[in-house]
Amino acid sequence: MMDSALRVSSMAIGLLGLVLYFQSIVRVTLLNRRERDFVERGARFGAMTIIHGLAGSGRSYQYVQRIQAWALPLFIFFSVTTWFLLVQFSFTLVLWALRAEPSWVRAFISSGSALSTLGFRTPSTLLGEYLAIFEAAVGLAIVILLFTFVPGYQAAIQVRERKVGWLCARTGRHPNVVSLLEALKNSGQLNDPEAWEDWETWFRGVHETHSIAPILACVPSIYRGTTWVVVSAAVLDATSLLVAALDHKQTNAARICRETGVTTVRLIASGLHGDVPIESPANSHLDANMNAAFDQLYDQLLEQGLLLKANKDECRKTFGNLRSEYEASIRYIAKSTLMPIEELGMPHSAAP
């Protein structure tokens, strides 16, 4: 009686393990929407724990970037290893429960033989042989998915880096709102809606990839000393400035770009498990450094002949409120991805 109950429990746990495996691998590799998954979270936590440990503190960002390059390989290694062991242990329980193997050890070896497709040991019963064929197919599926979703990850990073490279080529390694607007002015795009539509497209691409696979946010930029987070901050600051200072009719493209960007960084911060506020604090205002920067930028926009709102103080207040909608998310992403806060070029907004 005790043996039968143990075998029934073993079968139930084994089947549950297989259900969890199929659910996990579909969520991570096939779904086109964000779904929380214990394997993805565990693999990302393991990878970033190692990265944080190796990066240490007080290191230059160029050194940290070299360490961060291992984030994606470690994540993939931990994911595949977890899936492999989950399937092996699940089939071990099933084989033993069905008496296809006489002992736990034999069942574990047979399961590993089938899953790895080595075939050096196969259960002697007909049912065990059927299970071995099915487990071998599962093992091949893990390998096939590995070689299909990894190129997708790499392609997402390459697409993200095109605009990062474009901006850094014009502003240097540490772009901010000042250098971005200067670059747009020099190219005659400061008041061109197409410029912000391009950045809106970039934000949508990051949204579609990084919010689904948060590990991509931890993959460093191809360009040394910079990161996509800095670029996001610069674009969001620039669009917030235009929305705050210009007439509504002149800022439609910038406003849509900004809204898309805010949604993107919030979702990515949430995917990284950040306790980030989703509502902007009431009456947020800027610190002294950003106040001075805002006044300078306001005057520069005025010199360009743009039709600005007359009340500079009201524009400054609006700008502070707009920044508060994404600043916490940007800073959390920067912290999680080991990018020094000072490289954001974003002084803090403050509450009075």
Side-chain angles (χ1 to χ4, degrees):
M1 181 66 68
M2 181 65 69
D3 181 69
S4 298
L6 187 59
R7 291 184 185 275
V8 170
S9 299
S10 177
M11 171 65 77
I13 296 172
L15 293 176
L16 176 61
L18 292 176
V19 170
L20 291 176
Y21 157 74
F22 283 111
Q23 185 181 63
S24 173
I25 204 164
V26 167
R27 283 175 172 172
V28 174
T29 64
L30 298 178
L31 290 185
N32 62 351
R33 57 173 294 175
R34 171 74 175 143
E35 293 283 352
R36 293 187 180 273
D37 180 73
F38 74 101
V39 173
E40 185 273 334
R41 293 180 64 177
R44 177 157 46 86
F45 175 79
M48 293 312 298
T49 298
I50 293 176
I51 297 300
H52 278 260
L54 292 176
S57 59
R59 302 277 193 171
S60 68
Y61 183 57
Q62 285 79 1
Y63 172 83
V64 173
Q65 255 185 328
R66 292 197 297 269
I67 301 299
Q68 280 181 304
W70 289 93
L72 185 58
L74 285 172
F75 169 79
I76 293 171
F77 172 78
F78 286 136
S79 297
V80 172
T81 300
T82 303
W83 286 328
F84 190 96
L85 291 176
L86 179 60
V87 172
Q88 185 173 5
F89 279 110
S90 296
F91 271 100
T92 295
L93 295 172
V94 171
L95 289 172
W96 182 82
L98 294 176
R99 303 181 189 275
E101 289 290 0
S103 67
W104 293 100
V105 174
R106 293 290 188 184
F108 183 78
I109 294 173
S110 293
S111 178
S113 171
L115 184 61
S116 63
T117 68
L118 294 177
F120 57 85
R121 179 175 178 80
T122 303
S124 57
T125 66
L126 183 61
L127 181 58
E129 291 175 348
Y130 284 139
L131 288 173
I133 294 173
F134 179 68
E135 187 174 5
V138 172
L140 288 174
I142 295 176
V143 175
I144 292 171
L145 286 171
L146 172 65
F147 285 104
T148 53
F149 81 83
V150 170
Y153 280 1
Q154 296 291 356
I157 295 168
Q158 290 169 0
V159 171
R160 181 193 74 189
E161 291 300 300
R162 289 172 187 168
K163 291 295 282 186
V164 173
W166 180 93
L167 183 57
C168 291
R170 290 160 176 77
T171 62
R173 292 182 178 180
H174 311 301
N176 54 37
V177 57
V178 178
S179 58
L180 171 57
L181 292 178
E182 185 69 22
L184 291 175
K185 183 187 74 173
N186 293 337
S187 61
Q189 296 179 297
L190 184 57
N191 202 28
D192 184 0
E194 290 187 5
W196 301 119
E197 289 171 2
D198 287 344
W199 283 109
E200 177 196 344
T201 300
W202 180 77
F203 272 125
R204 291 192 188 281
V206 174
H207 181 173
E208 293 164 3
T209 54
H210 291 45
S211 62
I212 295 175
I215 188 62
L216 295 178
C218 304
V219 177
S221 174
I222 297 172
Y223 303 95
R224 291 185 179 181
T226 190
T227 173
W228 69 272
V229 186
V230 174
V231 172
S232 298
V235 176
L236 287 173
D237 275 354
T239 52
S240 295
L241 174 69
L242 295 179
V243 170
L246 271 66
D247 181 79
H248 180 74
K249 295 179 180 179
Q250 301 180 72
T251 60
N252 189 52
R255 178 181 55 80
I256 295 174
C257 174
R258 180 190 170 279
E259 291 173 354
T260 304
V262 170
T263 301
T264 297
V265 296
R266 282 181 174 178
L267 284 175
I268 293 174
S270 176
L272 293 170
H273 312 296
D275 186 15
V276 181
I278 60 174
E279 299 293 339
S280 60
N283 300 320
S284 295
H285 69 280
L286 306 174
D287 67 7
N289 291 333
M290 187 55 79
N291 265 329
F294 176 87
D295 290 344
Q296 179 183 0
L297 288 168
Y298 183 93
D299 294 339
Q300 288 178 356
L301 293 177
L302 196 60
E303 292 173 2
Q304 293 300 311
L306 299 180
L307 183 60
L308 304 185
K309 298 175 182 176
N311 192 332
K312 184 190 291 187
D313 291 337
E314 187 65 28
C315 292
R316 187 187 301 111
K317 179 181 178 181
T318 301
F319 180 57
N321 287 331
L322 291 175
R323 289 185 80 251
S324 67
E325 293 181 6
Y326 57 84
E327 184 178 356
S329 296
I330 286 284
R331 292 187 179 279
Y332 182 83
I333 295 171
K335 179 180 178 181
S336 300
T337 56
L338 293 178
M339 190 190 69
I341 289 293
E342 59 269 20
E343 294 199 17
L344 279 173
M346 290 179 61
H348 284 282
S349 293

